[in-house]
Amino acid sequence: MTRRDTDIDQETGIETTGHEWDGIRELNNPLPRWWLWCFYLTIIWGVGYTIAYPAWPLISRATGGLLGYSTRAEVVEQIDAFETQNASLTTALTEVDLAVLDENPELQRFAISGGASVFRSHCSQCHGSGAAGGIGYPNLLDDDWLWGGTRDQIAYTVRHGIRNEVDPDAHWSQMPAYGEIFETGEIDDVVQHVLALSGQDHDAAMAERGSVLFADQCSACHNEDGRGNRDFGAPNLTDAIWLYGGDLRSLTYTVTNSRFGVMPPWSTRLTEAEVKAVAAYVHQLGGGE
């Protein structure tokens, strides 16, 4: 790039800026006045906006603005308006016996709709957006329930949680880690027996030996037939539904080390109406009893 004295372009008759790039000279075409005034007005408007509304971030907050406008306050106002509108239904849901919820179709629709929002906000992180669960997180779409699948039982579980140390009314069960009780061969035998109970391929001789150990150590919770006991939160071992996996490797790990899943109590974070709503929502997904 070279610098030349300002001159007039011969072809256009327009003054140049005096700059030249590879033989190309820059014309000094001024911006239209209307465009400049629009630009100046936007600057003035921007300065005024930052003074009137929240704008500049500070260490712990933003400037409040002279008008005191708040989008949060606007949302709170809208929420309050809807809560006032639905107050009668919310009160009815708080007081209703969930066992007869389906006798009031309007209240049931309100509960399921609200429960879906509660589930997406608080439950989907563990149970999945579709409630199908995952390893260690129960599938809420099937009919296999450790602690019962009626609306009332689901609400109790939501309200108090499982194996947490916060709520004294939480469901509680604890399987021993049989790696500290059985010999390695005995663990293998019990696992083969469990495989037999669930109709999977197994070693018959090992399963026969394992049945004796199972009756002595495991049947108190899982029952002699392996169908489990909801009073203890002991799962049914005869079906194809497994919380932590039902293959040889997973079962061996479970028997050796035990499992100890924890669910927090939600009664401190959800209202009673929200607890009942999410119980109604989960119940109608297909696995409720």
Side-chain angles (χ1 to χ4, degrees):
M1 181 181 71
T2 61
R3 175 73 179 178
R4 297 177 57 186
D5 294 334
T6 301
D7 59 359
I8 303 299
D9 179 64
Q10 296 300 319
E11 295 186 10
T12 62
I14 298 175
E15 181 184 21
T16 71
T17 61
H19 295 89
E20 182 177 320
W21 288 268
D22 297 330
I24 300 175
R25 288 182 290 173
E26 179 183 10
L27 300 182
N28 188 19
N29 281 317
L31 291 169
R33 289 291 179 182
W34 67 266
W35 192 98
L36 286 174
W37 282 113
C38 289
F39 178 65
Y40 297 148
L41 288 173
T42 59
I43 294 175
I44 295 171
W45 181 89
V47 172
Y49 184 93
T50 61
I51 295 173
Y53 291 92
W56 296 101
L58 304 176
I59 295 177
S60 59
R61 59 185 179 83
T63 55
L66 295 179
L67 298 181
Y69 174 76
S70 170
T71 54
R72 291 177 182 271
E74 195 173 73
V75 170
V76 169
E77 183 179 343
Q78 293 175 358
I79 292 175
D80 290 342
F82 280 107
E83 287 182 348
T84 299
Q85 180 180 342
N86 295 323
S88 60
L89 287 171
T90 301
T91 301
L93 182 58
T94 301
E95 299 173 351
V96 73
D97 180 353
L98 285 175
V100 295
L101 178 63
D102 50 4
E103 295 179 6
N104 187 334
E106 181 185 10
L107 185 60
Q108 185 178 31
R109 287 193 297 270
F110 175 75
I112 292 172
S113 177
S117 297
V118 173
F119 185 90
R120 285 192 291 268
S121 298
H122 300 286
C123 312
S124 61
Q125 292 84 352
C126 290
H127 293 283
S129 59
I135 300 299
Y137 300 101
N139 182 347
L140 305 179
L141 304 176
D142 57 35
D143 59 358
D144 202 52
W145 296 86
L146 291 177
W147 305 97
T150 66
R151 293 190 194 96
D152 282 321
Q153 289 169 330
I154 296 171
Y156 185 96
T157 300
V158 173
R159 197 177 290 118
H160 301 292
I162 298 173
R163 301 187 195 92
N164 61 74
E165 298 181 356
V166 179
D167 192 321
D169 294 320
H171 290 305
W172 194 275
S173 66
Q174 185 168 358
M175 175 181 170
Y178 282 100
E180 302 172 359
I181 301 173
F182 289 161
E183 300 293 335
T184 301
E186 292 177 324
I187 291 176
D188 294 337
D189 290 344
V190 169
V191 169
Q192 290 298 321
H193 177 65
V194 174
L195 289 172
L197 286 174
S198 56
Q200 301 184 68
D201 293 337
H202 61 279
D203 184 295
M206 295 175 67
E208 181 64 26
R209 294 195 300 269
S211 66
V212 178
L213 293 167
F214 185 91
D216 183 47
Q217 295 287 341
C218 311
S219 62
C221 292
H222 292 285
N223 288 328
E224 292 183 2
D225 59 3
R227 293 187 179 276
N229 187 329
R230 288 182 175 176
D231 292 335
F232 303 132
N236 183 352
L237 305 178
T238 66
D239 57 24
I241 299 174
W242 300 91
L243 185 55
Y244 292 96
D247 58 282
L248 176 64
R249 181 177 180 180
S250 299
L251 289 174
T252 300
Y253 184 94
T254 298
V255 174
T256 304
N257 301 289
S258 179
R259 306 284 187 173
F260 197 79
V262 176
M263 175 180 170
W266 289 97
S267 59
T268 57
R269 284 172 275 188
L270 301 177
T271 65
E272 180 63 13
E274 289 173 328
V275 168
K276 288 186 174 181
V278 76
Y281 171 74
V282 169
H283 182 268
Q284 59 83 45
L285 286 175
E289 299 173 333

